[in-house]
Amino acid sequence: TDPALIRNFCIIAHIDHGKSTLADRMLQITGVVDDRSMRAQYLDRMDIERERGITIKSQAVRLPWDGHVLNMIDTPGHVDFTYEVSRSLQACEGAILLVDAAQGIEAQTLANLYLAMNADLHIIPVLNKIDLPAAQPEKFAEELAGLIGCDPSDVLRVSGKTGVGVRELLDHVVASVPAPVGKADAAARALIFDSVYDTYRGVVTYVRVIDGHLSKRERILMMSTSATHETLEIGVISPEPKPSELGLGVGEVGYLITGVKDVRQSRVGDTVTSATKPAAEMLAGYEHPKPMVFSGLYPIDGDEYPELREALDKLQLNDAALVYEPETSAALGFGFRVGFLGLLHMEIVRERLEREFGLSLISTAPNVVYRVVMEDGSELTVTNPSEFPTGGKIAQVFEPVTKSTILAPAEFIGAIMEICQGRRGQLQGMDYLSEDRVEIRYTLPLGEIIFDFFDQLKSRTRGYASLDYEPAGEAEADLVKVDILLQGEAVDAFSAIVHKDKAYAYGVDMAKKLRELIPRQQFEVPIQAAIGARVIARENIRAIRKDVLAKCYGGDISRKRKLLEKQKEGKKRMKMVGRVEVPQEAFVAALSTD
Ligand code: GDP
Ligand code: MG
C-alpha cells in the first residue's frame, strides 16, 4: 500500500468509557465484520478481559475506509502496562482521545494523553455515549478543549453504541491524521508493539514497519537479542489474520510468525530488521520489562508443585514480563517467588493460574523491591521480606516511589489528602480541570499503593476518584522487618517490611489474627511480633489436654477407631512450625484477609 493512503491510530480511553464498543462499531461500519458474525467486544479475546471489561493485550486491525487503509491499534489501558502503551503509541501517527460524555476525563486518560502528546501524535478529542440522558457534552467538551488547547466545537461527539457520529469520526481520521513517512529503500526497521503466544502457531508478533520492507521467507534479526529467525508467515489482521504474499512496507501494520515458542524471543519494543542487510541502529526506546511487585505463590496442596511450575512456564511463553524463581517456605512448603509489573498484572496471573490451569493457590502479601545499604558499604536487593537483614548493621533502606495523579470531584479533596498523608504521601500540586473537578498530584511510596490503596480511595470517594501512577525512582525510608514468631520460631510467610510507624499495628494485628486461627495445642503457644530481637506484640494460645479418646471412655471400639483415623487425617494437613501444629487453613486465612 502507498504510505500516503495509510492512517495509523489508536484509541485512548479510561476503562468503561467505551473503547471496545467503538472499536466494534468501526469493524462493522467498515464492513470488516458483517452484522451476522458481530459479537460484542470482538477484539477482546481473552476471557478475563471480557469479564472485567479491560484490555490486557493490544491488537491491531486493518480497516478499509474511503480508499484508505486505517490501522487501529488497541492499547492496554492500565497503569501496569504503561511501557506497552508507549510502544503502541509509537506505532501510530494519531490518537482518538475518547471520553465518556457523562463522566469526563479520568486519571488514566490523562496519563495516556500525556504519553501520546510526548510521542507527537495528532490528537482527536471525542466525547462518547452522547446517547446517554446523563451526558453533559457541553461541559466536558469545554474540559477536553481546555486540556488539549483546541476549540470546544472541535470536539467530536459520537455514540459507539448507536453508531451516531462514527462515520464522521472515520472521515476525520483520514483527513487529519498524518500519513506515515519512512525510507522505502533503507534497511528494514519494524517496531514490535505486541507479541502473543498462540498454542497452534507459536508466537505471533505485531509490528509496525518504519523503514524498508519485510517479506515472507526472509531471515530477520531481533536487534535487542541478536537472534535470527525466518518469517514463515507475514500478513495483516482484518479482523482475522490474512497472510500477505507481498509482505509489509513503510507505514504498514501487521503480524509475523517465525515459529518461535516464547514471547521473550520477540519482545515488545524491540526492532526487527533483515538478517542479511541489517539496519545500523535500532529504534529508540527499548526497555527490558522490570518487575515492581513480588509475591510468593504456593500450591495449597503441596502435591501440585510440579503443576504450578509447568503452568508458570507456560504463562511465561505469553508474558515476557513475568519472572519467577523457586522458593521454599517453612510454613508453606515449596513454591515460587514471582515478580509482576504491578497489582493488576499480579491479579491476572493468579487468576489465569487458577482458572486455566485449575490450581488452588495461596499467595503471600505483595511487596516491592527494596535496596538495603549496610554499614560496611555493601548493598543488597530484597524481593522477599525474609531476606531482609536483621541486626543493627543496616545503614539505609531505599524503597521505590511513584508520581501519582488522582482525579476526583473537588468535594473529596479532604478525604483524598487524608488517605495520601496516612500513607506517607507528599503533596506535589493540585489543579482544577473544571470548577468542580481537581487533579491532585502526590509522591507516594509504591509499597503503600499496593496495599489496598485503590480500594480505600474508591470507597472514600464513592467511586469517583481515579488513580494513575508512574515510577519515580527511589527514596530513603525508615523501614523495618516485622517477624511473627510461634513459640519463638519465625514463620517466614508472615514476615513483612513496613514503615517503623506502622510496625506495631501490623504486629498486633497479625498476632491477634493467628490467635484466633490456630487451634489450641497440648502446651501453651506464645505468639510474638518482633523487630529483630525486640518483641513489639504478644498473644498467647492456652494449652488444652487434647485427649480425644477420653470422650468415649468405655464406648464401643469401632467408634474409637474412627476417631483415631479422623485425627490422623487432620494431621496430614497440618504444618509443623517448631513443635506447633498449624492447619494449612490458618495460613490461608491469615494471608488472605484485608
Ligand atoms: P472500554 O472499557 O473502554 O472498552 O468500554 P466498553 O466498550 O467495554 O464499554 C463500557 C460500557 O459502556 C459497556 O457497558 C457498554 O455497553 C457501554 N457503552 C459503550 N459505549 C456506549 C455508548 O455510546 N452509549 C452508551 N449508552 N453506552 C455505551
Ligand atoms: Mg475494552
Side-chain angles (χ1 to χ4, degrees):
T1 312
D2 179 358
L5 297 177
I6 299 175
R7 302 290 182 271
N8 296 323
F9 72 98
C10 59
I11 305 175
I12 295 172
H14 189 71
I15 289 165
D16 278 347
H17 282 206
K19 183 165 82 171
S20 300
T21 308
L22 178 63
D24 285 351
R25 209 54 58 234
M26 288 180 166
L27 292 179
Q28 218 173 1
I29 289 176
T30 56
V32 167
V33 179
D34 62 37
D35 295 352
R36 195 166 33 86
S37 39
M38 192 70 214
R39 57 169 202 270
Q41 314 223 326
Y42 197 92
L43 297 172
D44 295 355
R45 280 163 213 239
M46 226 184 280
D47 277 351
I48 298 176
E49 289 190 36
R50 202 160 302 148
E51 273 164 35
R52 297 182 170 213
I54 53 169
T55 306
I56 298 158
K57 274 291 176 189
S58 49
Q59 300 272 357
V61 52
R62 182 177 170 115
L63 310 168
W65 185 250
D66 193 22
H68 289 72
V69 168
L70 311 187
N71 291 306
M72 175 168 63
I73 294 172
D74 198 10
T75 55
H78 193 272
V79 289
D80 284 4
F81 307 105
T82 296
Y83 173 67
E84 297 192 12
V85 175
S86 76
R87 295 308 88 187
S88 326
L89 295 178
Q90 218 191 316
C92 304
E93 278 76 29
I96 292 175
L97 175 61
L98 189 72
V99 172
D100 187 326
Q103 304 282 333
I105 297 157
E106 302 285 357
Q108 270 161 43
T109 335
L110 205 59
N112 287 343
L113 171 64
Y114 293 148
L115 287 174
M117 286 171 139
N118 274 331
D120 263 342
L121 302 195
H122 175 78
I123 312 285
I124 303 174
V126 178
L127 287 175
N128 189 29
K129 309 196 190 182
I130 52 159
D131 61 294
L132 284 178
Q136 295 177 274
E138 302 308 324
K139 174 180 172 184
F140 292 122
E142 291 269 345
E143 194 178 277
L144 264 176
L147 194 66
I148 63 174
C150 67
D151 195 85
S153 64
D154 295 335
V155 177
L156 303 188
R157 297 168 187 199
V158 307
S159 165
K161 190 170 173 185
T162 67
V164 167
V166 177
R167 287 167 183 279
E168 290 77 1
L169 174 56
L170 289 167
D171 288 340
H172 198 84
V173 169
V174 168
S176 70
V177 173
V181 281
K183 302 182 202 91
D185 303 330
R189 289 203 296 176
L191 172 75
I192 299 180
F193 61 87
D194 200 1
S195 105
V196 182
Y197 176 74
D198 179 290
T199 325
Y200 303 106
R201 330 189 67 195
V203 173
V204 180
T205 301
Y206 292 85
V207 294
R208 148 77 196 263
V209 178
I210 306 290
D211 296 321
H213 191 274
L214 288 176
S215 317
K216 198 177 142 182
R217 297 270 163 217
E218 179 183 1
R219 283 219 72 83
I220 55 167
L221 170 71
M222 302 293 183
M223 294 187 81
S224 82
T225 58
S226 301
T228 65
H229 307 285
E230 186 180 350
T231 49
L232 304 178
E233 185 180 319
I234 186 163
V236 299
I237 313 273
S238 191
E240 301 299 332
K242 292 195 174 122
S244 153
E245 290 304 317
L246 297 171
L248 298 172
V250 168
E252 287 197 287
V253 172
Y255 70 96
L256 52 91
I257 290 171
T258 63
V260 304
K261 294 282 180 225
D262 180 344
V263 290
R264 285 174 298 172
Q265 290 178 278
S266 195
R267 290 184 177 273
V268 171
D270 201 353
T271 305
V272 182
T273 188
S274 152
T276 48
K277 195 188 158 214
E281 251 179 84
M282 63 188 290
L283 300 161
Y286 176 71
E287 275 174 34
H288 217 64
K290 188 170 160 221
M292 302 293 284
V293 176
F294 284 80
S295 159
L297 278 186
Y298 294 83
I300 286 189
D301 176 355
D303 294 344
E304 281 188 350
Y305 176 76
E307 282 92 330
L308 176 56
R309 171 188 291 278
E310 209 169 291
L312 283 167
D313 286 347
K314 280 207 181 121
L315 271 192
Q316 200 174 42
L317 296 177
N318 204 350
D319 186 345
L322 179 68
V323 296
Y324 54 90
E325 57 182 48
E327 164 179 284
T328 32
S329 150
L332 303 174
F334 291 102
F336 294 91
R337 178 118 302 238
V338 188
F340 310 94
L341 293 173
L343 276 191
L344 178 72
H345 188 212
M346 180 170 88
E347 263 182 65
I348 291 167
V349 168
R350 191 176 158 160
E351 208 168 306
R352 293 188 65 184
L353 287 171
E354 300 206 308
R355 194 194 300 222
E356 292 170 30
F357 299 91
L359 297 165
S360 302
L361 299 174
I362 166 169
S363 50
T364 60
N367 61 269
V368 298
V369 182
Y370 300 96
R371 189 164 68 88
V372 182
V373 181
M374 306 301 285
E375 274 171 4
D376 65 9
S378 65
E379 236 183 76
L380 68 164
T381 303
V382 175
T383 56
N384 183 342
S386 67
E387 292 161 0
F388 197 83
T390 31
K393 299 193 179 68
I394 295 174
Q396 287 169 299
V397 183
F398 294 89
E399 64 176 346
V401 293
T402 66
K403 252 169 48 188
S404 295
T405 306
I406 298 162
L407 256 60
E411 62 186 287
F412 298 116
I413 292 175
I416 291 167
M417 291 180 78
E418 204 180 297
I419 298 173
C420 292
Q421 237 83 46
R423 293 177 180 248
R424 302 185 283 127
Q426 282 171 331
L427 184 64
Q428 299 299 324
M430 183 150 56
D431 285 307
Y432 279 80
L433 289 175
S434 59
E435 64 186 31
D436 57 353
R437 284 180 14 107
V438 286
E439 174 190 349
I440 309 173
R441 292 182 301 277
Y442 265 93
T443 303
L444 274 164
L446 180 63
E448 297 280 350
I449 293 182
I450 66 172
F451 245 30
D452 80 326
F453 178 74
F454 193 57
D455 289 342
Q456 254 199 43
L457 189 66
K458 281 280 175 197
S459 75
R460 293 284 303 274
T461 61
R462 284 191 272 117
Y464 280 112
S466 59
L467 164 76
D468 186 80
Y469 58 88
E470 56 181 283
E474 56 173 21
E476 192 180 350
D478 220 343
L479 298 163
V480 294
K481 178 171 75 156
V482 180
D483 289 317
I484 306 295
L485 297 86
L486 286 185
Q487 255 208 344
E489 289 231 15
V491 184
D492 52 8
F494 295 131
S495 295
I497 297 169
V498 288
H499 190 263
K500 218 174 80 195
D501 295 345
K502 291 184 179 167
Y504 177 73
Y506 176 81
V508 169
D509 198 49
M510 260 319 194
K512 281 221 170 86
K513 238 193 257 177
L514 287 175
R515 195 195 57 194
E516 303 289 315
L517 291 166
I518 298 175
R520 291 163 149 204
Q521 319 268 317
Q522 267 141 325
F523 43 87
E524 189 175 271
V525 179
I527 306 173
Q528 296 163 311
I531 300 172
R534 188 161 57 88
V535 173
I536 55 170
R538 180 193 304 270
E539 295 281 340
N540 252 327
I541 304 171
R542 279 187 298 128
I544 50 153
R545 283 206 59 213
K546 194 175 152 200
D547 189 350
V548 289
L549 299 183
K551 263 189 280 183
C552 47
Y553 175 74
D556 70 285
I557 190 78
S558 73
R559 176 132 183 263
K560 210 182 234 178
R561 197 175 297 128
K562 243 189 207 151
L563 267 171
L564 279 169
E565 252 157 42
K566 230 173 148 186
Q567 197 191 27
K568 223 163 87 194
E569 218 170 77
K571 274 225 166 84
K572 272 202 299 203
R573 270 175 280 116
M574 295 285 181
K575 303 266 179 179
M576 297 300 291
V577 177
R579 276 170 58 221
V580 186
E581 284 180 351
V582 183
Q584 172 92 351
E585 294 86 60
F587 289 123
V588 179
L591 286 168
S592 66
T593 38
D594 49 78

